[in-house]
Amino acid sequence: MKKLVNIFSRIIVSGILIFTGLIVFISVTMEKKIRFNNSNLWRILLILFVFLLFLLVMQIFHWLKACSERMLFAFYFICVAFAGCVSWVLLHSIYSIQVTDSAKLVDQAIIFAKEGIGPDFISERYQTYFKMYGNNYFFTIILSIFYRILYAFNVKNVLFPSFILNMIAIWLGVVFAVLTAIRIRGSRCGAKVLLLCVLNPIFYLMAFMIYTNSFSLPFMTGVVFFAVCIYKSDSNAKIILYSVIEAVFVAAGYFIRATVLIPVIALIISYIMLLIRKKDNFRRILPGFFVFVLASSLIFQGIQIKNTEYFGKNENENFPITHWIMMGSHGDGQYCHSDKEYTLSVTGKQERVKANLNKLKENITQAGPAGVAHLFIKKLGITWSDGYKSMNRRIGQSEKFNTLYRYLLGDKKDLFVLYCFAYSILIYLLIISSSLFYICTKRKSFYLFFMQLVFFGGIVFYTFWEVKNIYSVPFMPFLILIAEYGGSELDFELQEILCKFRRLYKYFAMIYIVGVLVVCGKLFISLSSNSVSLRNNTINSCIPNEITYIDKEVSKGGEILQSYFMSNKPINKLKFVIRCVTQPEKVKKEEYEINLLNSKKEIIRQMIVGKDNIKYNQNENRYFLTVSFEDVKPEASGCQMFIQIKKLGKKPASFVFGYLNRQVDIYRGECWVNKSLQDHDIYLQVYQNYKSSVFSVKGALFVSIVSAITAIILFLLFNYSYGFIRCGRKEPVLTNKE
């Protein structure tokens, strides 16, 4: 019976992961996020990128299997140094203005740090938000305490230290994942996990999005690491100590992000199975269990009291869990504004639960079995397939709009996006590999079963919950741990496979090299000749968030004067957020006069704007006013310029301008309304828009040649390691120990 249960559980969990991997692979290949003139070239390049990454990873895996202890230590040092250097470069190159929920939390935390704590100090702009969503209370409190410490040391710019704090949290999560692999499978497997983490681009970029997705990483992996420490400890003192630490990670992690309960549930299931197999372990960990329950209860209550101290009784008005399940039951399972309005229209928590359940039943009934299955597959693709996580929309950029930003997040991000998607596909292919090995081999791996159980829990959770591509970030370390197992197993099989197909392999090598040269030639033509729309930002490129509108004196006949500081790029376009007071089609062609002034406040460009300048952006659900003019070159890099907005005519305006009323400004400058200095800036984007090829001819040639040489060298190295070694008996297993 035990064998049947074991086999059944292995097949079910591994089968679902294989299915998920295939769905994700299909979803990625259907994506159209990468430009390349909307051709199929990007799919060919994606396959090439995946294959190159596979060659690189398997080459290093094969070397790590037999390298000396000294070289292994050197490899750890190189990986840490590489991650540190990349993080340091990004910290000095990207200055991200927070958007959406992240902006609200940072802004409110600054208010708490400056003005005081308690519900009376919650900004009017965020009252509704914190009444609806209580899941971010504890994280906001942590940020406010951190900012209070910074202000005590007279540190005024809190964003840069916030990026460092977020980066520490992410890499601490990686450290716990690596230590878990070392504790269970040895230092060589830990090195492989570290390699896959270092190659993961999202771990670097997520540092600039200050939110619980990234900050929950050390709690997600920490609960697993300290649970392993408890299980492997012989001393009662160590068991009790680790149990207290485990309680801290579980209780605090729950209030940071509730997904920490998924590895906790997986741990409970795993512990029960282990105790059934080894009953003597029950008495050994019993004292630790009681300490864990007591400590976690005390910490849970303490955090709850702290939440109430800061946010009062707002938690009584929070949306019930059923709201997110209802939201995820129709459409594409993502955030829906009408669902939020529907829940807000009902008063009382129990009444909201009933209303959400009724709406949930209605959605399921309308969709039917086929519709529900289709929604399930769609949500799988959204949550797990996007290797890039739409980071260009999540990371706002102020005056540091430099070359690196453009190649990672700006108008020349295509090759980097390809790498992100290729990395994601490689991880899922290795996950599929590990699941197939798990089903087909007789060797049992309780470690792999547990990691699969966590991933399986994430799949189940986001089958029912509201989804976003960014929500999969806390599960990345577990995906990497599963992928490492698949890569290690595959490494042991490749030698035999290549020996069996040695003759065919030579022909494959010839086809591969010719194919690489053809693809890189096509890449050169595409990069150098396709004309695409590019833009050089001057002051910011962030998504507007928490906009308030200037609709008093100005709309009736007043003046706005906004100063800003230019970079060394020419400009030819201004972009504003507006709110239409009347219907957009009734807006006049001449509503405002917009003047561009130099540092001496002399008019250098004058534009009359109205209906023809207004466009609606469906993704952001806002109206924008865009003004184009002939190129204006800056007097000097960093020089101050002004934008003047004057109302035309005596009648009230048909639309009004928006401004960002935040604690953190998105750019340097001051705003005057009717010659009165304001404590906010008007929402403004200043940039140069032009058409050009993605690269110059020299740049495209350089990228193509380097790509071809890299592809061929990696293939030859891989061929040397696997194809030309002595065929015969496999090398002894060095790393797959339980």
Side-chain angles (χ1 to χ4, degrees), residues 110-336:
I110 293 172
I111 294 169
F112 280 146
K114 285 181 175 180
E115 301 178 13
I117 64 173
D120 293 337
F121 293 99
I122 298 175
S123 168
E124 290 183 11
R125 301 190 301 280
Y126 308 134
Q127 285 281 354
T128 304
Y129 176 83
F130 284 110
K131 283 183 179 179
M132 291 187 299
Y133 310 120
N135 54 316
N136 294 322
Y137 288 175
F138 188 51
F139 183 62
T140 308
I141 292 170
I142 291 173
L143 285 178
S144 69
I145 295 170
F146 180 61
Y147 294 157
R148 209 172 299 144
I149 295 169
L150 293 177
Y151 291 142
F153 287 93
N154 202 30
V155 178
K156 294 180 179 179
N157 179 10
V158 298
L159 277 185
F160 187 77
S162 298
F163 300 151
I164 296 174
L165 180 68
N166 206 27
M167 191 171 284
I168 290 170
I170 292 168
W171 290 104
L172 185 59
V174 170
V175 167
F176 284 138
V178 172
L179 289 176
T180 301
I182 292 172
R183 198 75 190 262
I184 298 176
R185 283 166 54 77
S187 56
R188 296 177 189 276
C189 284
K192 295 173 186 177
V193 171
L194 180 59
L195 170 69
L196 293 177
C197 289
V198 166
L199 292 176
N200 185 1
I202 300 302
F203 283 159
Y204 300 97
L205 294 182
M206 278 300 296
F208 302 98
M209 182 183 174
I210 306 164
Y211 196 54
T212 57
N213 282 299
S214 53
F215 209 78
S216 64
L217 276 170
F219 297 95
M220 291 284 286
T221 53
V223 295
V224 177
F225 172 68
F226 289 108
V228 171
C229 290
I230 292 169
Y231 183 75
K232 285 186 169 286
S233 295
D234 296 324
S235 166
N236 285 334
K238 286 184 178 180
I239 289 174
I240 291 171
L241 174 63
Y242 288 136
S243 297
V244 172
I245 299 173
E246 181 78 353
V248 173
F249 274 77
V250 171
Y254 169 77
F255 282 100
I256 293 292
R257 196 167 185 85
T259 48
V260 77
L261 292 179
I262 293 173
V264 171
I265 293 168
L267 280 170
I268 292 170
I269 294 171
S270 301
Y271 262 108
I272 290 171
M273 293 178 69
L274 284 171
L275 289 173
I276 291 171
R277 292 163 66 181
K278 298 180 180 179
K279 295 180 181 179
D280 58 314
N281 285 332
F282 181 74
R283 291 181 182 178
R284 187 172 58 85
I285 67 169
L286 194 59
F289 173 75
F290 284 119
V291 169
F292 167 78
V293 171
L294 178 62
S296 57
S297 300
L298 291 173
I299 296 165
F300 188 94
Q301 289 299 321
I303 294 174
Q304 194 73 43
I305 291 168
K306 207 68 180 174
N307 284 349
T308 305
E309 182 184 351
Y310 275 76
F311 294 95
K313 298 296 181 182
N314 280 337
E315 61 261 34
N316 295 333
E317 300 182 44
N318 293 163
F319 280 178
I321 291 173
T322 50
H323 167 78
W324 284 275
I325 299 174
M326 177 267 291
M327 191 182 288
S329 66
H330 68 100
D332 57 4
Q334 298 191 79
Y335 172 82
C336 179

Side-chain angles (χ1 to χ4, degrees), residues 82-102:
F82 176 82
C85 288
V86 172
S87 300
W88 183 84
V89 169
L90 290 176
L91 279 172
H92 286 79
S93 303
I94 296 176
Y95 185 80
S96 173
I97 303 300
Q98 302 306 291
V99 296
T100 60
D101 289 24
S102 177

Side-chain angles (χ1 to χ4, degrees), residues 361-378:
K361 290 176 184 177
E362 183 183 321
N363 291 338
I364 293 173
T365 304
Q366 285 181 354
V372 170
H374 179 70
L375 176 62
F376 164 69
I377 293 173
K378 191 187 292 185

Side-chain angles (χ1 to χ4, degrees), residues 340-370:
K340 185 188 82 171
E341 296 298 324
Y342 172 77
T343 303
L344 280 173
S345 66
V346 181
T347 55
K349 207 154 194 174
Q350 294 302 320
E351 288 74 12
R352 283 178 174 177
V353 170
K354 290 178 182 178
N356 291 154
L357 289 174
N358 289 334
K359 190 75 172 177
L360 175 63
K361 290 176 184 177
E362 183 183 321
N363 291 338
I364 293 173
T365 304
Q366 285 181 354

Side-chain angles (χ1 to χ4, degrees), residues 606-656:
Q606 187 177 68
M607 293 78 66
I608 306 298
V609 300
K611 183 178 180 178
D612 296 339
N613 302 92
I614 296 174
K615 287 186 179 180
Y616 176 71
N617 188 307
Q618 190 171 3
N619 290 333
E620 298 175 20
N621 192 29
R622 296 186 191 279
Y623 286 97
F624 289 89
L625 184 135
T626 307
V627 186
S628 300
F629 46 89
E630 290 183 11
D631 280 7
V632 173
K633 295 182 179 180
E635 299 168 358
S637 181
C639 67
Q640 186 180 38
M641 296 190 72
F642 299 87
I643 291 172
Q644 184 184 51
I645 303 172
K646 292 182 177 180
K647 169 72 181 62
L648 297 176
K650 295 181 180 179
K651 292 184 179 180
S654 303
F655 63 88
V656 293

